[in-house]
Amino acid sequence: MLDLAKSRWHPIAAAHDLPLRHVFHGQLLGREFAVWRADDGYVNIWENRCLHRGVRLSIGINDGRELKCQYHGWRYSNRTAGCTYIPAHPADAPARTITNRTFAAIERYGLVWSAEEPQGEVPEVAGLAEGRLLALRGIPVNAPADVVAARLKGYRFQPSGRIDGSAAKVAVEAASTFSVVLRSSEADATTLAVFFVQPVDSNRSVIRGVLDGQVEGAARLAVLRHHNELLSRLRLAVEAEAAREPAPAPLEPVIERVSPELAEMPEESKHGRKATIRVEVARKWLAADGIAGFELRPIKGLLPTFQPGAHIDVHLPNGLIRQYSITNGPGESDSYVIGVKLERDSKGGSTCLHETVREGDVLAISEPRNNFPLRRDSVKTIFIAGGIGITPLLAMAQALNNQNLVHELHYFAQNEAQLAFPEKTSTLGASLKPHLGLSPDQTGAKLREILSGYGPDKHVYLCGPGPMLEAARHIAAEMGWPETAVHFEYFKNTNVIDDSTSFEVALARSCMTLTVPAGKTILEVMRDAGIDMPSSCEQGACGTCLATVIEGEPDHQDVYLNDAERKSGTKIMTCVSRAKSARLVLDL
Amino acid sequence: MTKTRCTDQVILDLWHPLAALSEVAAGVVVDTVLLEERLSFAIDGEGNAAVWRDRADLAEGSPVDIAVISGKLPLKLAYGYIWTSLGNPPADLFPIPEFDEVDRRKLNAATFGVNVSAPRAIENFLDMGHFPYVHTDILGAEPHTEVKEYDVEISVDRDEILATRCRFFQPMASTASDGGADVDYIYRVPHPYCSVLYKSSPLDESRLDVIAVFLQPIDQEHVRAHMLLCVLDEDNEDKVIKRFQQTIFGQDKPILENQFPKRLPLDPRAETPIRADKSAIAYRRWLSQKGVTYGVIPAAT
């Protein structure tokens, strides 16, 4: 009877089955896998099924950073298997929880190993040194794995150094249900061969052989051919034997159901300012004059999937909470890289990061949130960055660059030394357009030039200092850009907040009426009443605490909503904005 | 009643297509499979036809006189196809009024075998989001990937699903201009295994081309897809019109055959719908409400 333990490691592919940008169709105990290596070397083993409509991901496209489903172009990130983009809804950031099932992956002995619920380590084989090995071609056999392994004990072959001989003595050094270790010797030549038998299904197996010692050139081909012929012969014999027995029923792996919230239309998850992730500062460096780069690696496990435009809250040792955009390109999922500009009038956020936080320090961060999502259905996308405003736009430009979508990244700075992350911007080629040392007037003229020639399906994304953003939005409007095509993110809200009013807030879905007194925000009053509301910057810039207004007139004091959204009166940022009417009814 | 392998009474009682009349040689026996049952049929070229369970004395290809066949199954000739049923079918098949308009070209674009369940194939037919990825540069093109809001209703009196106000960007939308434009679509699902789509006609702005897919379930995971065209086109040869649809279908086939599981899961938590999938969500609910079990994985109750 075949051992079906899900805890046991098995090889599911040879390392050489994963060439550049390939997706390999693997299978273990009846379960199919899409196996692919990202350009950074990471081996991904995923359930072979797009969560959307069940199409095999092994027919998907590996672009080196993400795997794209063939059916609807959904993109899944290296490492996390989290969905980063749904082309049918270009304006929306996918719910973070849309994540394919992933399986453990270990490379050892030239093979890729996995298990559904692995325990312990990949089996050690005495005498098999890592590195100097020759992995044989996998030989598929229509027979149960234990039957194949038993047969392999009688496998006879020549040592690699005496491939033309015929007098080799072969000894069984070890054997188990799924593996056989053989040593072949003739005269002074000896070769250790380990055969792992991968149980593909109840009645199908793959023999994965590994020989010790490297052989090169023509000799290597001769060795591979020698084993191909002998193993093919063994295959025919085993299959003939297995065919005499009734075939066992195929295994039926259980496909996990998606989470309940995914069964309905995705909704924003609700949480307050929580820092659930611990990261280590793996690297801190001068990313540009006055800008520190931080590479944040997880203490354990994987970081959550991010999308271009997303930011994290960083909880600082001095108690402050600050928001920073993730600058990573797609698939760069082993760490988050942020850029922090030292602000002269810092209240202690940037100073703390620049002066106190060092490599090796542990920080608490929030999950990434994306209130600045990037559409990828534009015929041309224009990014306009001022200074440290480069950070979200850098992530966006790298995403479009990876998909060969037309874009330009205009990067305004005082001088060349202030251009941050040259190692990232240099990958953008001619789409990067630096504009250095311009006066406000010259900047205005340049913006006018950049924003001329609006056409349908063009979009512009702005991030930079307040005055520059105001100018750019103004010019864009003048040049005929509709508000729906102009996307922006402010660093901070420099409006003077008037919190002197007092009014009532009715929460329609919670059936609750609250009074917001002068000096308190809607968000604070709701929190006090036990309503869990997500928030991040809490100054009206990031868009996290957005609520829908059903009735009443909002008094907008944020810098997140555009003019059309303000005028519509249907949205409000609960951290700073208030009511002009005596009462607001919110859809909460 | 003969016992059938399919035990889903809803499906047994439906009319199912077997073949395009234009492609059947007159006067000889033709074999086919419906719902795992081996059937034979014949037409005589004078508007008479018959369908019966496969019999040893009437081998495929042998001449046959329709008048003398006993044990005939229900028969309907409609929309250019021969239809039958293994249960008690309704008097009428769903209507396609445009089929009677005399100035339309009516063709069987193709009959394709596909290794997938009928409901998976229907969902694919209703889906616009895949146009830029599967029918690249024909029905869609990147970066124009958005599925705009549309309306879906389940019509109670007609017992069919209706998706309206559907629009999708199509490159070379008309022969008259080279630029792309939004093309309008209306989708109907009047039968669990059949769907009818209406699409802007490149020739006449006021009218719509009609394309229908009629799925013949071979078993739960295999179909023959019959595709009816009922279009406004006075210029192109049949083979040109057919080749276009065959290209489209040939692009869908490998995707459909790589869907897992092959039967359509009706449990809302089996897969991840998005707003663009509104019509598919309605279709899955409609199948659940009807109690369809054949070709689907019913939701656990």
Side-chain angles (χ1 to χ4, degrees):
Chain A
M1 197 58 199
L2 191 64
D3 176 0
L4 302 178
K6 292 177 183 175
S7 56
R8 187 190 290 277
W9 289 96
H10 289 286
I12 58 149
H16 64 235
D17 288 328
L18 306 180
L20 186 71
R21 309 271 169 109
H22 180 62
V23 188
F24 177 81
H25 176 125
Q27 196 168 328
L28 181 64
L29 297 169
R31 185 182 294 283
E32 288 186 18
F33 301 121
V35 189
W36 63 285
R37 192 192 295 276
D39 286 2
D40 68 5
Y42 190 86
V43 175
N44 292 279
I45 303 182
W46 296 356
E47 183 103 73
N48 192 16
R49 214 177 152 255
C50 176
L51 279 183
H52 177 215
R53 282 294 175 258
V55 169
R56 283 194 174 92
L57 290 172
S58 56
I59 65 165
I61 293 162
N62 168 2
D63 75 6
R65 295 160 172 271
E66 296 181 317
L67 189 65
K68 184 174 93 162
C69 178
Q70 286 274 26
Y71 199 2
H72 296 92
W74 288 26
R75 305 182 76 89
Y76 296 98
S77 174
N78 178 29
R79 273 188 195 81
T80 61
C83 181
T84 58
Y85 189 61
I86 296 177
H89 299 307
D92 303 339
R96 203 171 28 240
T97 40
I98 301 182
T99 302
N100 273 300
R101 186 166 178 200
T102 60
F103 296 90
I106 299 271
E107 280 190 82
R108 184 163 295 172
Y109 309 133
L111 302 174
V112 178
W113 298 73
S114 191
E116 202 165 310
E117 295 157 8
Q119 280 175 11
E121 302 290 319
V122 170
E124 286 285 336
V125 180
L128 202 58
E130 194 66 57
R132 293 181 47 80
L133 299 169
L134 177 62
L136 302 178
R137 186 167 70 94
I139 304 288
V141 187
N142 289 314
D146 48 350
V147 175
V148 177
R151 270 278 184 158
L152 276 165
K153 282 189 256 181
Y155 183 67
R156 295 292 168 265
F157 64 101
Q158 287 295 121
S160 301
R162 278 259 178 165
I163 214 73
D164 296 325
S166 58
K169 296 244 180 315
V170 180
V172 178
E173 295 208 339
S176 72
T177 327
F178 294 105
S179 64
V180 178
V181 183
L182 303 173
R183 182 173 292 281
S184 170
S185 309
E186 183 175 334
D188 57 341
T190 180
T191 294
L192 187 72
V194 186
F195 293 97
F196 302 101
V197 185
Q198 168 192 352
V200 167
D201 206 327
S202 60
N203 200 34
R204 291 190 294 142
S205 313
V206 176
I207 301 171
R208 299 203 175 272
V210 180
L211 309 183
D212 72 341
Q214 271 170 328
V215 200
E216 301 299 338
R220 180 171 169 274
L221 278 183
V223 170
L224 289 175
R225 192 171 297 127
H226 176 72
H227 285 278
N228 262 355
E229 284 175 10
L230 292 172
L231 287 170
S232 297
R233 219 174 286 159
L234 179 128
R235 167 191 178 167
L236 291 176
V238 183
E239 289 187 345
E241 179 190 331
R244 286 195 290 272
E245 301 290 324
L251 302 174
E252 286 197 21
V254 176
I255 305 288
E256 285 185 351
R257 302 164 88 201
V258 300
S259 59
E261 69 267 21
L262 291 190
E264 300 298 325
M265 296 302 117
E267 263 189 59
E268 190 93 5
S269 61
K270 289 207 183 339
H271 40 71
R273 288 220 279 194
K274 287 172 195 145
T276 51
I277 304 164
R278 295 289 178 276
V279 290
E280 182 185 318
V281 178
R283 194 159 75 93
K284 176 183 176 181
W285 73 103
L286 204 59
D289 203 1
I291 296 174
F294 292 85
E295 183 182 351
L296 309 175
R297 284 187 178 272
I299 298 293
K300 62 171 187 198
L302 296 177
L303 291 170
T305 309
F306 65 91
Q307 299 136 13
H311 74 266
I312 49 171
D313 293 348
V314 178
H315 291 237
L316 298 173
N318 62 10
L320 292 174
I321 303 172
R322 289 290 181 269
Q323 291 72 46
Y324 296 101
S325 295
I326 297 173
T327 63
N328 299 38
E332 295 170 2
S333 45
D334 54 342
S335 62
Y336 294 150
V337 174
I338 59 171
V340 179
K341 187 187 175 201
L342 182 62
E343 297 288 349
R344 252 169 286 152
D345 56 348
S346 167
K347 292 197 186 88
S350 64
T351 311
C352 175
L353 276 160
H354 271 257
E355 293 171 8
T356 311
V357 174
R358 289 174 304 178
E359 287 184 1
D361 284 359
V362 172
L363 296 174
I365 63 170
S366 69
E367 301 216 312
R369 251 182 234 112
N370 193 2
N371 304 315
F372 193 29
L374 170 67
R375 298 183 71 112
R376 307 187 202 182
D377 62 341
S378 311
V379 294
K380 183 176 180 182
T381 305
I382 296 174
F383 299 112
I384 299 177
I388 191 64
I390 187 68
T391 51
L393 303 185
L394 184 54
M396 293 182 180
Q398 291 173 93
L400 295 192
N401 188 52
N402 186 48
Q403 289 179 239
N404 291 319
L405 294 170
V406 180
H407 65 284
E408 285 173 2
L409 173 56
H410 296 272
Y411 189 178
F412 290 78
Q414 282 309 312
N415 54 56
E416 183 133 18
Q418 289 190 357
L419 295 175
F421 301 110
E423 71 288 353
K424 286 182 187 284
T425 54
S426 65
T427 63
L428 299 172
S431 71
L432 174 72
K433 300 186 188 301
H435 306 291
L436 303 176
L438 301 187
S439 68
D441 283 351
Q442 289 169 321
T443 301
K446 181 56 76 178
L447 288 172
R448 227 165 259 285
E449 185 188 317
I450 295 166
L451 291 168
S452 63
Y454 169 74
D457 296 318
K458 285 190 186 179
H459 286 263
V460 61
Y461 290 78
L462 311 167
C463 188
M468 180 186 165
L469 249 62
E470 298 296 339
R473 287 174 64 191
H474 192 72
I475 291 168
E478 265 179 35
M479 312 287 274
W481 289 74
E483 283 199 343
T484 50
V486 181
H487 313 265
F488 52 87
E489 185 171 80
Y490 283 79
F491 302 148
K492 57 185 172 195
N493 186 356
T494 51
N495 296 340
V496 179
I497 307 294
D498 173 7
D499 63 356
S500 61
T501 53
S502 168
F503 52 94
E504 247 182 20
V505 171
L507 308 180
R509 274 188 279 145
S510 310
C511 298
M512 201 181 265
T513 299
L514 305 170
T515 302
V516 181
K520 278 206 145 193
T521 67
I522 300 175
L523 184 66
E524 286 166 348
V525 172
M526 287 196 300
R527 288 255 169 87
D528 292 346
I531 305 288
D532 196 13
M533 180 78 186
S535 74
S536 179
C537 78
E538 302 194 353
Q539 52 157 303
C542 77
T544 306
C545 65
L546 182 81
T548 299
V549 179
I550 298 172
E551 210 182 290
E553 191 186 350
D555 174 15
H556 296 292
Q557 307 200 38
D558 63 282
V559 291
Y560 180 79
L561 299 176
N562 68 29
D563 289 343
E565 289 166 331
R566 284 160 172 263
K567 275 184 207 133
S568 77
T570 58
K571 291 176 178 174
I572 188 167
M573 305 313 308
T574 55
C575 64
V576 290
S577 297
R578 308 179 73 82
K580 285 183 180 162
S581 50
R583 183 179 151 89
L584 275 184
V585 182
L586 301 183
D587 186 19
L588 285 171
Chain B
M1 278 298 293
T2 321
K3 203 166 153 48
T4 49
R5 290 167 182 85
C6 166
T7 55
D8 180 339
Q9 200 58 45
V10 178
I11 297 300
L12 287 170
D13 286 343
L14 294 171
W15 289 107
H16 295 284
L18 298 181
L21 291 167
S22 59
E23 292 169 13
V24 177
V28 295
V29 177
V30 182
D31 286 351
T32 191
V33 178
L34 176 69
L35 300 169
E36 300 160 62
E37 310 297 329
R38 300 174 62 86
L39 306 183
S40 299
F41 62 89
I43 61 171
D44 67 0
E46 288 158 27
N48 302 306
V51 185
W52 63 93
R53 287 177 173 276
D54 174 59
R55 295 210 300 254
D57 61 323
L58 286 171
E60 174 150 50
S62 56
V64 64
D65 180 359
I66 286 167
V68 303
I69 292 166
S70 59
K72 288 180 195 167
L73 290 168
L75 173 86
K76 190 171 282 293
L77 301 180
Y79 310 133
Y81 298 83
I82 180 165
W83 302 71
T84 193
S85 175
L86 295 171
N88 302 303
D92 295 321
L93 194 55
F94 52 87
I96 307 178
E98 295 76 10
F99 190 83
D100 299 325
E101 293 173 6
V102 290
D103 60 345
R104 286 180 183 264
R105 293 270 287 280
K106 292 138 201 165
L107 302 168
N108 177 46
T111 295
F112 268 100
V114 190
N115 295 339
V116 76
S117 63
R120 285 273 195 205
I122 292 291
E123 269 202 7
N124 170 260
F125 193 74
L126 297 177
D127 183 88
M128 292 182 285
H130 73 288
F131 289 173
Y133 296 96
V134 180
H135 309 299
T136 312
D137 296 338
I138 303 176
L139 298 182
E142 287 187 86
H144 306 282
T145 56
E146 182 167 23
V147 176
K148 298 168 192 80
E149 287 296 328
Y150 60 91
D151 298 326
V152 181
E153 58 173 314
I154 297 181
S155 156
V156 179
D157 49 330
R158 284 172 70 161
D159 190 26
E160 70 175 57
I161 295 169
L162 186 64
T164 52
R165 236 169 33 87
C166 306
R167 291 155 294 156
F168 202 85
F169 178 91
Q170 179 171 315
M172 322 244 272
S174 89
T175 45
S177 74
D178 351 311
D182 272 359
V183 170
D184 297 325
Y185 297 85
I186 295 169
Y187 292 92
R188 287 172 58 198
V189 188
H191 175 299
Y193 294 172
C194 297
S195 183
V196 185
L197 107 78
Y198 298 78
K199 176 177 178 178
S200 317
S201 162
L203 296 182
D204 184 343
E205 276 182 19
S206 64
R207 295 172 73 188
L208 297 167
D209 280 336
V210 181
I211 302 167
V213 66
F214 305 141
L215 299 168
Q216 172 187 355
I218 301 300
D219 62 29
Q220 300 214 55
E221 301 189 346
H222 298 82
V223 295
R224 292 206 321 147
H226 306 284
M227 193 175 280
L228 166 71
L229 297 181
C230 186
V231 296
L232 299 159
D233 187 332
E234 289 168 1
D235 302 327
N236 288 305
E237 284 182 74
D238 281 6
K239 70 176 180 189
V240 174
I241 302 174
K242 286 183 179 186
R243 190 180 296 141
F244 178 80
Q245 290 303 328
Q246 288 170 4
T247 302
I248 300 293
F249 208 96
Q251 292 171 330
D252 281 320
K253 183 174 152 88
I255 296 288
L256 285 167
E257 295 187 341
N258 274 294
Q259 274 182 292
F260 182 78
K262 286 185 183 298
R263 286 181 289 150
L264 184 73
L266 298 185
D267 179 346
R269 281 178 56 192
E271 291 175 352
T272 312
I274 55 171
R275 290 199 311 282
D277 300 320
K278 263 158 73 172
S279 55
I281 296 167
Y283 175 59
R284 291 185 187 197
R285 282 200 193 128
W286 186 64
L287 292 179
S288 275
Q289 284 160 8
K290 284 184 170 303
V292 170
T293 58
Y294 198 82
V296 302
I297 301 171
T301 43

